[in-house]
Amino acid sequence: RSLPGANGSALMVVTKEDAVAKRAAKNLPRTVLINAHSLNVRDVVKYRTIVASKAALEIMVQTFTS
């Protein structure tokens, strides 16, 4: 059984400080990396799977609820 999103593309949302996650994303096929401050609604609806660090999620909540 494969992981959810294994057959599709994924969006990985990180902060500037997530150096390890940025390196890891380069090894994942069909994975797009974006900084949380650059995220927009189009990015959110374009990808079926979204992975975000806790810090990136906090930035996303601030951005989209204010």
Side-chain angles (χ1 to χ4, degrees):
R1 202 175 148 161
S2 64
L3 294 171
N7 296 325
S9 59
L11 178 66
M12 190 170 199
V13 185
V14 297
T15 64
K16 294 176 186 176
E17 294 79 23
D18 289 330
V20 174
K22 290 176 183 179
R23 273 200 319 263
K26 291 180 183 178
N27 296 320
L28 299 172
R30 299 181 310 273
T31 301
V32 174
L33 185 74
I34 191 166
N35 188 301
H37 290 288
S38 301
L39 186 69
N40 60 49
V41 174
R42 187 174 134 229
D43 296 321
V44 173
V45 298
K46 183 177 177 181
Y47 296 93
R48 182 177 182 126
T49 303
I50 299 174
V51 179
S53 66
K54 184 176 179 179
L57 186 59
E58 291 171 359
I59 293 170
M60 292 166 59
V61 168
Q62 288 176 348
T63 301
F64 291 109
T65 59
S66 57

